[in-house]
């Protein structure tokens, strides 16, 4: 399923998104090397969702600025506390994505970012390009097992927008029981039916 999820953005990329280049950084090529589809755009994030039988997989990619309020290495106590708070909030996908139905339990969660590597004292140079360019991203990947997947009727990102107000829009690519969808969600329009 992970291969399916990683291929999802290419299969569903709407032409409007492919043409939209509202805000590009000079380091877009560097991000392309790391698997990012679009240029690093503050305020914008991407979410890929696959519901296949009882398995629900979500992959969120966002500039760290949207979630932490900064992209540089967390040096101060306040920055380190903010990174820890962001990490803690990202460990609750049911709340962030409005998954109260379907009797879903989290089976796996992976959070990746240069900010988290610094937080864990595990900085080994892997993310040096992100630190130098100060264009850090946060990637969250979740796998959930849903005992009643037919009860999952929608994603609601209202809580994610509330907790991370610098996130202005999320490009969602979804494969579910009703086929494929690609839509842009905002705080004013934060839900998408499966």
């Amino acid at each position: 399923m992970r291969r399916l999820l990683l291929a999802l953005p290419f299969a569903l990329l709407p032409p409007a998104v492919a043409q939209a280049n509202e805000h590009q950084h000079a380091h877009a090529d560097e991000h392309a090397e790391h698997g990012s589809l679009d240029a690093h755009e503050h305020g914008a994030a991407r979410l890929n969702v696959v519901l296949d039988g009882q398995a629900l997989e979500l992959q969120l990619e966002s500039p760290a600025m949207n979630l932490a309020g900064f992209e540089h290495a967390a040096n101060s106590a306040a920055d380190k506390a903010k990174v820890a708070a962001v990490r803690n909030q990202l460990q609750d996908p049911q709340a962030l994505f409005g998954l109260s139905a379907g009797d879903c339990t989290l089976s796996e969660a992976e959070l990746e970012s240069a900010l988290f590597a610094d937080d864990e004292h595990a900085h080994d140079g892997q993310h040096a390009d992100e630190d130098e360019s100060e264009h850090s991203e946060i990637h969250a990947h979740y796998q959930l097992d849903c005992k009643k997947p037919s009860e999952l009727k929608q994603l609601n990102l209202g809580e994610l927008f509330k907790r991370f107000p610098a996130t202005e829009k999320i490009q969602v690519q979804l494969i579910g029981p009703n086929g494929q969808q690609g839509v842009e969600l905002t705080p004013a329009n934060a839900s998408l039916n499966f």
Side-chain angles (χ1 to χ4, degrees):
M1 169 128 47
R2 186 168 177 121
R3 285 187 190 157
L4 177 62
L5 184 59
L6 295 175
L8 179 64
F10 295 107
L12 297 178
L13 188 64
V17 174
Q19 295 171 1
N21 287 321
E22 298 171 20
H23 179 76
Q24 288 190 358
H25 288 276
H27 303 286
D29 290 337
E30 291 176 22
H31 290 284
E33 292 174 12
H34 296 289
S36 295
L37 284 178
D38 301 322
H40 181 91
E41 180 182 346
H42 295 174
R46 292 171 304 280
L47 176 65
N48 298 316
V49 181
V50 175
L51 177 58
D52 184 20
Q54 294 184 324
L56 176 63
E57 195 164 353
L58 302 109
Q59 182 180 23
L60 176 69
E61 298 178 5
S62 175
M65 180 66 76
N66 298 351
L67 307 179
F70 59 88
E71 296 184 324
H72 58 269
N75 296 320
S76 71
D79 285 354
K80 290 178 183 180
K82 182 65 175 174
V83 168
V86 167
R87 186 178 196 139
N88 187 49
Q89 291 182 67
L90 287 174
Q91 292 180 359
D92 187 8
Q94 286 97 328
L96 290 177
F97 304 112
L99 299 172
S100 57
D103 194 13
C104 298
T105 56
L106 184 63
S107 60
E108 185 179 332
E110 294 176 44
L111 303 176
E112 298 177 15
S113 175
L115 297 180
F116 299 151
D118 289 340
D119 186 44
E120 297 169 347
H121 307 290
H123 186 75
D124 59 7
Q126 283 182 295
H127 302 285
D129 63 315
E130 290 184 16
D131 293 336
E132 290 168 12
S133 68
E134 293 192 11
H135 293 302
S136 295
E137 294 212 358
I138 295 176
H139 298 262
H141 180 248
Y142 309 99
Q143 291 182 340
L144 296 99
D145 295 318
C146 301
K147 292 179 183 169
K148 301 175 184 175
S150 62
E151 292 180 7
L152 281 174
K153 301 298 182 194
Q154 72 174 199
L155 284 177
N156 186 330
L157 306 186
E159 187 64 24
L160 190 146
F161 285 116
K162 180 180 170 187
R163 291 185 189 189
F164 304 110
T167 303
E168 300 167 358
K169 61 184 178 180
I170 300 175
Q171 185 64 39
V172 180
Q173 306 297 327
L174 180 141
I175 294 178
N178 296 320
Q180 302 177 359
Q181 300 180 58
V183 68
E184 183 175 280
L185 298 181
T186 63
N189 180 28
S191 62
L192 171 67
N193 293 331
F194 274 96

